[in-house]
């Protein structure tokens, strides 16, 4: 059986009943009837999934499936998969609302959100009387732990006291209920977590022994292996190797548990194994996101894993895959600020991807590709001063190194223009400050201070452009063959690491300095392909053939997965010929036994994330005429699901997008809205338009909520519709979405994000997975 996760479509799940819609509390459509804590988090049903690991945490529950979902949530907690853990616990509570422990689970799934965790624990405490003595210990311990305000103390005495108290409670559970393996696992986690908050572990070996007690009874316990990897990371990673070898296999459906062994293997400089683990994590996440229709930024640790994976792929020479995955991170839909005046955007994956893409292109001398990407969807001009200085510097460097002197000079001039504009703005602010000081009759020293204060913010704005100009003058000297000048100016190249700096010294004619720096780079980067390849190349061209051959022989065992078409490897062809090696001189890939038994990595999911196919629909407009999804195929569409004319926030949303309809149309994007009301009731919405001619886009009726449910803009737990906004491309794929208890009203941001996403290459069509059956 493939280890890939297969989920049952929520519309088929027998545990969910789509009852008549219930009114929202306080007249707020989309808001939970249970209070604010339930507004956020997952509001679509959970299903029982394969690959969640073997855990057992018996609770008081009248429904057998509630116990199954609770155990699944515990396993997901052990994998730090908090969003899905909360979903599982919500499903357990849906099946048995009298059970207190699912609410404890919800609190644990929100360990980083004090407001919500406190509210969930109140729900658990209110049901405490139905709990067993063992469960009551958990309820009391976590209720005290999540008491309001104590987390705000961070590393202070109050926070340490609550953490110490929780450890004591868990110790009591372990003593009184010695068969409770989960108590031991949570105790291991808590002591380790306390250490992350200023409470050192006095004996790592003792804590590892406690985890060992769990593994003695359950050898594939996902939490015990996970926590052992954390425990020994940066302490003695060799002692985590056994757990690293089986960490992902212990719960193959939890991406983070594939990721964590990557920490161990990276620390031990076993980058090939580390990259495999991180790739397994990425593929598992991709399969899950595509099938469950979650956006990548909603997945804890996803961007971090892929960022690290790109780096490790570079370390083993899988350059094309590193670049491809970095581009994929740039393709990810971003989470924008909910309103034009507030809300926190999430651009982590985009920023990481952009940084990794440029780093890989530079490190591996992919100058032509860098220039081809300049100004396009992957490297667009940015408003951020530092980012734009970096883009112009990198493309100017690439231009000079590829002999395109005119383009290099154009990039240098563009940087100077930016710099002059910043200087002009600084002069303007200085003059305004001086004039204001004079008008206020301030003494000369106060006036001077006012001018200095006005100029201060501009130093940070000017510095990246000043450094970029100086650096490009070095590359201009190289391009013009002025190697003497280049050697004098090489100190201006502040952005280069040692591998690249050694290469630049070599280009400037200082082979001795180049070799010295290249050796330093190898010493600092043990186990990495590029530093050794670079040293072998420099030594060979310097004439140190013996050292070059020796270095190449050290390099070769690391290159089983390396892309030999990279420039540095092409230059090493002469060294391989000297050793009479074949054109493909890479060794056979052979994983060490300590790496563990691994599944076929392709079975876990796709290498790249791609959007899912939008569900089909057919809905009437206000005249009763049927509109169909197929009508919009071939042209991007923005669909807004709103909760009827009685929802004031929904009308605010429509009035925010209404005036920008032409902007979206000019960008090639159609707008339409879908209401919960009947077709003959849509006039109520049109009557609430601020514009005299109403809303300039079609509004469709979905009173049965079938389309709301198909797009998952629906709360399965409380059987109510939710706000939803979806960008669907010309191929019918959902490129961006927002589903929430409140509408997304930042039309200006979404227009810009839509343009960015639609400018990217056409997405790979999401293919249906071969099975969507639940675990048996």
């Amino acid at each position: 059986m493939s280890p890939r996760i297969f989920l049952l479509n929520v519309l088929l799940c027998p545990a969910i009943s789509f009852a008549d819609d219930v009114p929202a509390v306080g007249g707020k459509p989309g808001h939970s009837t249970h209070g604010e804590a339930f507004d956020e988090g997952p509001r679509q049903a959970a299903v029982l999934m394969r690959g969640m690991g073997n855990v057992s945490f018996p609770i008081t529950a009248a429904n057998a499936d509630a116990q199954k979902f609770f155990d699944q949530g515990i396993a997901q907690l052990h994998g730090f998969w908090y969003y899905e853990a909360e979903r599982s616990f919500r499903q357990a509570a849906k099946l048995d609302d009298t059970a207190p422990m699912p609410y404890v689970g919800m609190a644990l799934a929100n360990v980083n959100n004090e407001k919500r965790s406190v509210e969930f624990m109140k729900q658990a405490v209110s049901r405490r009387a139905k709990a067993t003595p063992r469960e009551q210990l958990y309820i009391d311990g976590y209720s005290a732990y999540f008491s309001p305000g104590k987390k705000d103390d961070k590393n202070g005495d109050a926070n340490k006291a609550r953490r110490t108290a929780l450890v004591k409670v868990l110790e009591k559970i372990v003593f009184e209920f010695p068969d409770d393996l989960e108590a031991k696992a949570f105790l291991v986690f808590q002591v380790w977590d306390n250490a992350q908050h200023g409470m050192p572990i006095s004996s790592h070996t003792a804590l590892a022994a406690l985890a060992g007690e769990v593994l003695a009874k359950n050898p594939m316990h996902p939490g015990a292996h996970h926590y052992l990897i954390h425990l020994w990371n940066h302490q003695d990673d060799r002692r985590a190797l056994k757990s690293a070898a089986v960490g992902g296999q212990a719960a193959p459906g939890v991406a983070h548990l594939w990721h964590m062994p990557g920490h161990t293997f990276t620390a031990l400089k076993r980058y090939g194994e580390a990259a495999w683990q991180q790739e397994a994590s990425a593929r598992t996440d991709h399969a899950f996101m595509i099938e469950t229709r979650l956006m990548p930024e909603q997945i804890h640790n996803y961007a971090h894993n892929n960022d690290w994976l790109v780096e490790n792929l570079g370390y083993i020479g899988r350059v094309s895959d590193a670049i491809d995955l970095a581009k994929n991170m740039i393709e990810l839909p971003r989470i924008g600020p909910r309103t034009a005046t507030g809300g926190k955007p999430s651009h982590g994956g985009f920023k990481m991807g952009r940084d990794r893409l440029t780093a890989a292109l530079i490190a591996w001398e992919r100058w032509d590709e860098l220039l081809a990407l300049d100004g396009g969807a992957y490297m667009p001009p940015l408003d951020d001063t530092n980012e734009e200085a970096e883009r112009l510097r990198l493309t100017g460097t690439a231009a000079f190194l590829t002999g395109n002197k005119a383009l290099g000079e154009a990039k240098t001039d563009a940087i100077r223009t930016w710099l002059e504009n910043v200087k002009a703005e600084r002069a303007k602010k200085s003059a305004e400050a001086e004039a204001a000081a004079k008008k206020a009759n301030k003494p000369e020293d106060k006036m001077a201070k006012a001018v200095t204060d006005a100029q201060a913010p501009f130093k940070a704005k000017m510095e990246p452009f000043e450094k970029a100009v100086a650096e490009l003058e070095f590359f201009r000297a190289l391009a013009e063959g002025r190697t003497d000048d280049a050697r004098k100016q090489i100190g201006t190249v502040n952005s280069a690491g040692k591998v690249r700096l050694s290469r630049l010294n070599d280009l400037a004619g200082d082979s001795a300095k180049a070799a010295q720096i290249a050796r330093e780079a190898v010493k600092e980067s043990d186990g990495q392909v590029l530093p050794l390849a670079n040293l072998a190349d420099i030594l060979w061209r310097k004439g140190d053939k013996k050292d070059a051959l020796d270095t190449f022989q050290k390099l070769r065992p690391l290159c089983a997965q390396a892309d030999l078409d990279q420039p540095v490897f092409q230059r090493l062809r002469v060294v391989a010929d000297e050793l009479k090696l074949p054109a493909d001189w890479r060794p056979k890939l052979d994983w060490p036994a300590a790496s563990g038994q691994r599944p076929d990595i392709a079975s876990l999911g796709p290498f790249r994330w791609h959007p899912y196919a939008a569900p089909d629909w057919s809905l009437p407009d206000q005249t009763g005429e049927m509109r169909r999804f197929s009508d919009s195929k071939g042209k991007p569409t923005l669909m807004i699901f709103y909760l009827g004319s009685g929802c004031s926030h929904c009308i605010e949303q429509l009035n925010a997008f209404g005036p920008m309809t032409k902007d979206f149309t000019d960008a090639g994007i159609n707008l339409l809205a879908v209401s919960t009301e009947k077709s003959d009731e849509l006039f109520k919405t049109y009557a609430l338009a601020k514009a005299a001619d109403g809303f300039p886009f079609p509004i469709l009726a979905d009173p049965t909520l079938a389309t709301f449910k198909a797009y998952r803009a629906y709360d399965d737990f409380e059987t109510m519709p939710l706000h939803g906004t979806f960008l669907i491309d010309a191929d019918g794929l959902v490129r961006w979405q927002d589903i929430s208890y409140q509408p997304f009203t930042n039309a200006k941001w979404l227009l810009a994000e839509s343009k960015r996403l639609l400018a990217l290459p056409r997405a790979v069509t999401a293919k249906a997975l071969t099975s969507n059956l639940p675990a048996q």
Side-chain angles (χ1 to χ4, degrees):
M1 180 184 296
S2 166
R4 176 185 288 173
I5 316 166
F6 294 118
L7 307 178
L8 179 65
N9 187 306
V10 296
L11 297 180
L12 301 178
C13 183
I16 306 165
S17 63
F18 292 120
D20 292 338
D21 300 316
V22 297
V25 65
K28 295 180 180 179
H31 288 247
S32 171
T33 60
H34 302 309
E36 289 185 13
F38 293 85
D39 283 341
E40 300 176 19
R43 298 185 68 172
Q44 292 77 32
V47 295
L48 295 173
M49 297 186 281
R50 293 192 183 107
M52 293 297 101
N54 175 24
V55 302
S56 177
F57 193 123
I59 62 169
T60 300
N63 186 294
D65 282 340
Q67 177 66 66
K68 292 177 183 178
F69 278 105
F70 186 82
D71 285 343
Q72 177 170 279
I74 293 295
Q76 291 162 338
L77 276 183
H78 285 319
F80 294 175
W81 203 6
Y82 296 127
Y83 197 81
E84 290 309 309
E86 181 181 339
R87 192 193 307 277
S88 294
F89 293 131
R90 283 199 183 195
Q91 192 68 40
K94 167 82 173 177
L95 294 168
D96 185 353
D97 186 54
T98 66
M101 290 305 291
Y103 295 95
V104 177
M106 291 179 213
L108 288 171
N110 285 275
V111 66
N112 297 314
N113 187 325
E114 179 182 348
K115 184 177 179 181
R116 296 187 72 218
S117 60
V118 167
E119 292 304 311
F120 289 134
M121 283 310 305
K122 288 180 181 177
Q123 296 286 338
V125 170
S126 70
R127 295 162 173 80
R128 183 181 183 279
K130 296 182 179 295
T132 65
R134 168 178 155 273
E135 291 171 309
Q136 288 179 353
L137 285 173
Y138 279 106
I139 294 168
D140 295 344
Y142 283 110
S143 177
Y145 183 71
F146 289 117
S147 294
K150 287 190 177 181
K151 286 185 72 177
D152 292 338
D153 190 52
K154 294 186 179 178
N155 291 343
D157 291 340
N159 188 39
K160 291 179 180 179
R162 78 183 182 101
R163 289 178 172 277
T164 299
L166 180 57
V167 166
K168 292 184 180 301
V169 170
L170 291 171
E171 287 176 334
K172 183 175 182 180
I173 298 172
V174 167
F175 176 75
E176 295 189 6
F177 302 93
D179 292 332
D180 189 342
L181 296 184
E182 301 314 308
K184 294 179 180 179
F186 280 123
L187 178 54
V188 173
F189 164 77
Q190 194 60 50
V191 174
W192 170 80
D193 188 57
N194 287 355
Q196 316 311 304
H197 295 81
M199 301 174 67
I201 299 170
S202 59
S203 173
H204 286 72
T205 299
L207 197 60
L210 180 60
E213 289 184 22
V214 177
L215 295 175
K217 294 288 184 68
N218 183 354
M220 293 296 280
H221 190 282
H225 287 301
H226 183 190
Y227 305 144
L228 280 169
I229 292 171
H230 272 296
L231 177 66
W232 292 117
N233 196 209
H234 305 307
Q235 297 292 328
D236 186 353
D237 287 273
R238 297 170 303 165
R239 298 178 69 172
L241 268 174
K242 288 184 178 180
S243 287
V246 298
Q249 294 87 331
V254 181
H256 187 65
L257 294 180
W258 287 114
H259 164 84
M260 277 309 302
H263 283 248
T264 302
F265 290 123
T266 297
L268 296 174
K269 304 185 186 304
R270 293 163 58 163
Y271 298 113
E273 294 150 281
W276 192 96
Q277 295 290 156
Q278 291 157 345
E279 182 178 342
S281 177
R283 287 176 179 271
T284 302
D285 263 339
H286 292 159
F288 178 79
M289 286 185 280
I290 292 163
E291 190 161 353
T292 58
R293 307 181 198 169
L294 286 178
M295 293 291 99
E297 294 283 5
Q298 292 179 272
I299 299 289
H300 166 74
N301 204 58
Y302 170 73
H304 161 68
N305 176 80
N306 285 20
D307 176 60
W308 199 348
L309 170 56
V310 172
E311 181 178 49
N312 277 337
L313 289 172
Y315 287 168
I316 61 176
R318 282 178 58 185
V319 184
S320 295
D321 282 341
I323 290 172
D324 187 34
L325 193 61
K327 286 182 177 180
N328 193 222
M329 293 179 74
I330 295 172
E331 296 164 9
L332 301 179
R334 300 182 292 186
I335 296 176
R338 299 205 60 80
T339 69
T341 58
K344 185 178 180 181
S346 177
H347 299 170
F350 171 82
K351 177 67 166 63
M352 291 176 183
R354 183 183 169 100
D355 290 346
R356 289 298 182 195
L357 175 62
T358 55
L361 293 172
I362 294 165
W364 293 94
E365 305 170 58
R366 303 274 286 256
W367 306 117
D368 289 332
E369 188 172 349
L370 192 152
L371 290 173
L373 294 175
D374 180 39
Y378 292 106
M379 288 184 62
L382 297 173
D383 294 331
D384 182 271
T385 302
N386 290 338
E387 293 282 358
E388 188 60 6
E390 180 75 353
R391 182 184 72 85
L392 292 170
R393 181 186 66 78
L394 293 177
T395 51
T397 298
F400 281 127
L401 287 175
T402 54
N404 192 338
K405 183 182 171 186
L407 179 60
E409 290 175 344
K411 296 295 182 181
T412 307
D413 289 342
I415 294 172
R416 287 197 174 103
T417 298
W418 265 83
L419 186 55
E420 290 307 313
N421 289 338
V422 175
K423 287 180 177 179
E425 181 67 15
R426 181 184 64 172
K428 178 184 176 182
K429 294 295 183 183
S430 297
E432 289 174 354
E434 185 176 8
K438 285 181 178 179
K439 186 175 181 180
N441 294 318
K442 290 186 178 181
E444 286 191 14
D445 61 332
K446 298 291 185 182
M447 188 182 303
K449 185 179 186 305
V451 171
T452 300
D453 290 346
Q455 292 178 343
F458 292 91
K459 181 179 180 181
K461 294 181 179 180
M462 293 167 58
E463 188 174 352
F465 292 103
E466 290 170 337
K467 288 183 176 180
V469 169
E471 188 167 320
L472 288 182
E473 287 302 325
F474 162 79
F475 288 104
R476 183 202 298 269
L478 278 183
E480 294 174 349
R482 295 184 287 110
T483 54
D484 288 344
D485 290 340
R487 286 195 294 274
K488 294 175 184 176
Q489 296 172 333
I490 199 167
T492 64
V493 186
N494 299 302
S495 61
K498 287 190 174 179
V499 170
R500 186 163 170 248
L501 191 59
S502 66
R503 171 76 179 142
L504 295 180
N505 273 277
D506 193 47
L507 292 174
D510 193 342
S511 59
K513 184 70 171 177
Q516 175 195 331
I517 298 173
R519 290 183 190 280
E520 292 173 1
V522 168
K523 189 176 296 185
E524 295 173 5
S525 308
D526 184 29
Q528 297 176 25
V529 165
L530 183 56
L532 277 167
N534 176 66
L535 177 59
D537 174 40
I538 287 174
L539 290 172
W540 182 267
R541 287 184 295 103
K542 183 174 178 287
D544 293 343
K545 290 190 175 183
K546 183 180 182 303
D547 284 351
L549 292 170
D550 289 344
T551 301
F552 186 89
Q553 295 288 32
K554 294 175 183 176
L555 165 70
R556 192 181 175 203
L558 303 177
C559 290
Q561 301 179 71
D563 297 336
L564 296 187
D565 59 350
Q566 303 307 307
V568 68
F569 293 127
Q570 292 295 303
R571 294 195 296 270
L572 288 175
R573 180 64 256 174
V574 63
V575 182
D577 289 344
E578 180 76 8
L579 292 168
K580 296 182 170 48
L581 295 174
D584 186 351
W585 45 262
R586 297 173 300 179
K588 179 184 176 182
L589 179 60
D590 188 17
W591 297 115
S595 296
Q597 294 295 315
R598 294 172 168 166
D600 174 8
I601 199 165
S603 71
L604 298 175
F607 182 68
R608 303 173 106 257
W609 173 85
H610 57 78
Y612 67 88
D616 197 7
W617 51 264
S618 178
L619 297 169
D621 62 16
Q622 72 275 16
T623 68
E625 180 183 350
M626 296 301 294
R627 303 287 188 106
R628 293 172 176 80
F629 179 53
S630 57
D631 297 338
S632 61
K633 281 287 185 74
K635 191 170 185 180
T637 300
L638 187 72
M639 289 184 69
I640 299 172
F641 288 77
Y642 75 101
L643 310 184
S645 58
C647 169
S648 59
H649 290 303
C650 299
I651 301 304
E652 288 177 14
Q653 180 188 34
L654 297 182
N655 278 310
F657 280 88
M660 293 193 66
T661 301
K662 184 178 184 304
D663 297 295
F664 279 92
T665 301
D666 290 346
I669 304 169
N670 290 328
L671 262 69
L672 63 85
V674 180
S675 173
T676 55
E677 294 173 309
K678 297 177 182 178
S679 176
D680 59 6
E681 295 176 325
L682 295 179
F683 73 91
K684 299 177 184 177
T685 295
Y686 281 102
L688 295 171
K690 289 183 178 180
D693 54 351
F695 293 109
F697 45 76
I699 300 180
L700 311 179
D702 183 28
T704 68
L705 304 179
T707 305
F708 273 81
K709 293 171 184 176
Y711 278 77
R712 305 199 78 185
Y714 192 83
D715 185 327
D716 297 328
F717 302 116
E718 300 185 49
T719 59
M720 66 168 69
L722 298 172
H723 305 276
T725 307
F726 299 82
L727 174 67
I728 304 168
D729 69 13
D731 295 316
L733 302 179
V734 176
R735 303 297 290 271
W736 184 93
Q737 72 181 36
D738 179 82
I739 301 172
S740 177
Y741 66 97
Q742 55 187 341
F744 190 92
T745 61
N746 197 338
K748 184 177 179 181
W749 181 91
L750 185 50
L751 174 62
E753 179 68 356
S754 298
K755 288 179 177 180
R756 182 187 78 84
L757 291 170
L758 296 173
L760 293 162
R762 293 177 73 171
V764 179
T765 303
K767 297 179 181 179
L769 298 179
T770 56
S771 171
N772 64 353
L773 296 176
Q776 298 298 314

